[in-house]
Amino acid sequence: MSIAATILNPIRMAGMRFSLWQHGVFAVVAAAVVVPLGFLVLGSFSTADLPTELDPAKLGLENYSAVWFNPATYTVFTNTAIYVAGSVAFGITIAVMLAWLVERTDMPGKIWIYVGVPLTLAMPGMLQAMAWVLLLSPRIGFLNQILVHGLGIGPINVYSLGGMIFVEGIRLVPTAFLMMVPLFRSMDPSLEEAAAVSGARPVSTARKVTMRLLAPGLVAIMIYQAMTALEVFEVPGVLGLPARIYVFSTKIYSIINSQSFLPAYGEANALSMFYLAIAVVATALYARLISRSERFTVISGKGYRPHLIPLGAWRTPALVLVFAYATLSVLLPFLVLLYASLVPYIRIPTMAALRTLNFDHYGDLFRNPLIGIVLWNTAVMVIVASTATTVLSFLVSMVVVRSKFWGRKLLDQLAFLPHAIPGIVMGIAFVWVFLKTDQKMGTALYGSIWSICIAFTISFLAYGTRAMNAAILQIHKDLEDAAHVSGAPVWRTWWRIFYPLMLPTFVGVWIWVMLHVVRVAGMPLVLYQGPENQVLAVLIWNEWDAGHIEVVGAIGTLMIASLMALTLALRLFGFGRGAQSG
């Protein structure tokens, strides 16, 4: 045997093993993404009462007729457009101001803004909305009581499109802030300085220079945030459903959770088609914008240097803005939920009420046998969904980045497709899949905790693969070739080379998924059946729906405190690592 054959044979054998493995990954991802979407589309034409009765003879356009010839649908469309546009405009405006303050000015205490704004991600949108109900409900709202009885104005009605826009806008700020900071940091200030030297006023410079340079990136962020607002269920569910103000996500939920008749699955699917089309178009626009980002490069090169604008007399208003955002987004909602968890019953805070504070609701909570089941289910969901997403994302990215597999580009697109599918729509798609699977194979997936884990894994695959692709590209392929030439099997190459080098990425993806599966309620609400399959987000929703506000306060306080501690530890760890590497 020649020397060349000795060297190449291990690589060829590894290539054969890889080919089988690559086909397996492709088949799994294609089935997990295409099959639910196929059922979603097919179900929109089905006139059967239940997904298990899906029959080609019962296909028609009745569901589309019932949905799209219903005037209420156009009201839902209008509400959704106003809600999404208002939330994005409000959230992006605050995020731009905060990012500009920390990156382009001499504002003091920037490190606390860098840490504090992302820290608000630990406040789940559902709990944030519930806290604002306690503050601005027309009947029991604490702030409304002060406005009406103390100042003789109001009340402010949080059960409105304005209330939904306000809470969702606040919820969008931290992600938009994290996306805006790199844009300001990389922008060459020489163009702004030239405008100032020419006599342009700061407002004119910001409008004609700064915003135009930021426009491509800003539009991309706005599209991404619009997709986020479009799919969210928690805020419009808490604030819109009681007032019968429907957006697409809550309308679909109300259709499949009808208490008087069988759920109209077909109509929900037909409505989801338009919902899905909007999300796909928005995702395509977002991908197109970021793919052409090099056309809008604004860093000048060797002459680039950061320049800080002195705030002068505006320093105090800037600090007030930051403090107001922190108060409205985290501090006030957390204190309200904490107060609700400590009082015997909900009433306006007074000295008499404060003297009745106790921990009875926490004791009742931990004595409830259901809480143990819920915490166990939540732990299982977190561990399984986070681990499965991390592992599957790595496998997909290895095929996409490291192989010459014929379907690697299609696989990458399939992995990204769930990002364009709102969670509640994905939940409906999996309802059809699990019901048909249970019917044909005798399994018990529908309504179980495992159904939620599977759905979350597929939904978060898009994020996982984006992170893994970037990490794998940084590892030179010579390391793999050397391992193959040495006769190392594929699994040993992954364990000895990729695992140590990619450990930070694995941990980052795992933690990101963990934080999101705990916060999201829309998909679990669609998929779970029975109290024994509840997770924490579902329990909070059900307790709130039942009027057990004090219990929600206790659960919410513990949940927010835990998530905040974890998020703060991660942020401080990140700053520490950054300082060491610098």
Side-chain angles (χ1 to χ4, degrees):
M1 183 180 294
S2 66
I3 296 177
T6 302
I7 294 175
L8 293 176
N9 277 343
I11 298 179
R12 288 176 183 147
M13 292 299 294
M16 294 176 62
R17 292 193 295 269
F18 258 92
S19 180
L20 294 175
W21 165 76
Q22 291 159 3
H23 280 86
V25 172
F26 184 86
V28 169
V29 175
V33 175
V34 175
V35 172
L37 290 182
F39 273 105
L40 188 69
V41 174
L42 189 62
S44 69
F45 295 98
S46 174
T47 58
D49 291 332
L50 294 172
T52 53
E53 301 172 2
L54 190 61
D55 188 337
K58 295 183 179 181
L59 299 180
L61 297 174
E62 287 86 346
N63 295 322
Y64 287 91
S65 177
V67 169
W68 295 111
F69 287 101
N70 186 347
T73 299
Y74 300 99
T75 302
V76 171
F77 178 83
T78 303
N79 290 343
T80 304
I82 295 173
Y83 166 68
V84 171
S87 301
V88 171
F90 180 55
I92 291 289
T93 300
I94 297 176
V96 167
M97 290 191 291
L98 292 175
W100 180 79
L101 286 172
V102 299
E103 287 294 333
R104 306 306 299 276
T105 74
D106 62 348
M107 184 174 183
K110 292 183 181 181
I111 185 65
W112 298 109
I113 302 176
Y114 278 120
V115 174
V117 174
L119 185 64
T120 60
L121 286 169
M123 173 67 73
M126 180 167 57
L127 291 174
Q128 207 167 31
M130 291 172 178
W132 279 103
V133 167
L134 295 176
L135 288 166
L136 292 179
S137 168
R139 187 171 59 88
I140 64 169
F142 302 154
L143 290 182
N144 273 330
Q145 295 293 321
I146 297 173
L147 291 175
V148 173
H149 300 293
L151 302 177
I153 59 175
I156 300 173
N157 185 10
V158 76
Y159 294 118
S160 62
L161 270 175
M164 292 161 55
I165 289 171
F166 170 74
V167 176
E168 180 63 20
I170 288 177
R171 199 186 71 86
L172 293 177
V173 169
T175 301
F177 171 83
L178 292 173
M179 299 173 79
M180 287 298 307
V181 162
L183 296 181
F184 278 108
R185 184 175 298 171
S186 63
M187 189 172 65
D188 188 352
S190 62
L191 297 174
E192 296 170 295
E193 292 171 355
V197 170
S198 301
R201 295 182 177 181
V203 175
S204 180
T205 300
R207 180 171 56 87
K208 295 182 178 180
V209 179
T210 307
M211 296 311 298
R212 290 191 179 186
L213 291 174
L214 290 174
L218 186 60
V219 171
I221 294 172
M222 290 176 67
I223 293 175
Y224 181 87
Q225 294 293 73
M227 293 163 55
T228 303
L230 181 67
E231 73 168 334
V232 73
F233 166 80
E234 291 82 5
V235 172
V238 173
L239 302 180
L241 282 179
R244 298 186 177 275
I245 301 174
Y246 295 105
V247 295
F248 272 115
S249 59
T250 52
K251 185 63 176 179
I252 293 172
Y253 173 78
S254 66
I255 290 175
I256 63 175
N257 282 273
S258 173
Q259 301 297 321
S260 358
F261 306 100
L262 285 173
Y265 288 106
E267 292 184 14
N269 282 36
L271 188 60
S272 297
M273 290 298 98
F274 187 72
Y275 198 178
L276 181 60
I278 295 175
V280 170
V281 170
T283 302
L285 289 174
Y286 177 72
R288 186 179 181 86
L289 276 172
I290 62 175
S291 68
R292 297 185 175 186
S293 58
E294 70 279 356
R295 297 184 180 183
F296 308 99
T297 303
V298 292
I299 299 179
S300 62
K302 294 182 180 178
Y304 173 75
R305 61 183 177 83
H307 171 70
L308 299 181
I309 301 172
L311 286 174
W314 288 96
R315 180 171 296 186
T316 299
L319 292 173
V320 170
L321 171 66
V322 174
F323 180 76
Y325 168 71
T327 301
L328 295 176
S329 61
V330 175
L331 183 59
L332 194 56
F334 178 75
L335 291 178
V336 168
L337 291 174
L338 177 62
Y339 171 77
S341 70
L342 296 175
V343 292
Y345 58 92
I346 295 298
R347 54 176 171 165
I348 190 170
T350 61
M351 291 305 299
L354 294 177
R355 284 193 290 268
T356 66
L357 300 183
N358 58 73
F359 292 94
D360 291 349
H361 297 304
Y362 290 92
D364 295 340
L365 178 65
F366 287 107
R367 283 191 293 270
N368 185 348
L370 185 61
I371 194 65
I373 298 173
V374 170
L375 291 176
W376 171 257
N377 288 341
T378 303
V380 170
M381 177 187 68
V382 165
I383 294 172
V384 173
S386 301
T387 304
T389 302
T390 303
V391 172
L392 184 58
S393 297
F394 171 73
L395 296 177
V396 170
S397 294
M398 285 296 294
V399 177
V400 171
V401 176
R402 278 294 197 255
S403 76
K404 295 182 180 179
F405 180 63
W406 63 268
R408 64 185 184 278
K409 291 185 179 179
L410 177 59
L411 177 62
D412 193 39
Q413 293 172 351
L414 288 173
F416 188 74
L417 186 59
H419 181 66
I421 306 172
I424 202 161
V425 174
M426 180 66 88
I428 293 175
F430 274 109
V431 165
W432 291 75
V433 172
F434 294 141
L435 283 173
K436 292 299 291 185
T437 301
D438 291 348
Q439 182 189 34
K440 295 295 185 181
M441 303 180 62
T443 57
L445 283 175
Y446 175 67
S448 69
I449 187 65
W450 306 112
S451 67
I452 301 175
C453 294
I454 293 171
F456 270 137
T457 299
I458 303 305
S459 294
F460 295 137
L461 187 62
Y463 173 82
T465 54
R466 299 311 103 178
M468 295 292 180
N469 287 353
I472 292 174
L473 284 170
Q474 294 177 344
I475 301 175
H476 203 287
K477 199 173 181 184
D478 287 350
L479 296 173
E480 293 171 82
D481 293 340
H484 292 323
V485 169
S486 302
V490 174
W491 68 267
R492 186 177 293 276
T493 302
W494 290 351
W495 180 254
R496 299 298 297 272
I497 296 176
F498 284 96
Y499 175 74
L501 294 175
M502 293 184 61
L503 185 58
T505 303
F506 291 149
V507 173
V509 171
W510 199 96
I511 291 173
W512 186 90
V513 175
M514 180 271 293
L515 288 173
H516 282 73
V517 298
V518 172
R519 292 158 48 95
V520 173
M523 188 182 295
L525 279 171
V526 173
L527 289 175
Y528 97 99
Q529 289 291 316
E532 70 281 359
N533 290 312
Q534 291 185 91
V535 293
L536 201 55
V538 172
L539 177 64
I540 292 173
W541 176 269
N542 289 337
E543 293 291 339
W544 178 266
D545 198 42
H548 302 154
I549 300 175
E550 298 84 3
V551 175
V552 170
I555 300 174
T557 299
L558 295 174
M559 182 178 179
I560 294 169
S562 301
L563 291 177
M564 279 187 177
L566 177 60
T567 306
L568 180 60
L570 294 173
R571 292 295 298 172
L572 293 177
F573 175 75
F575 278 111
R577 291 295 294 269
Q580 292 171 10
S581 62

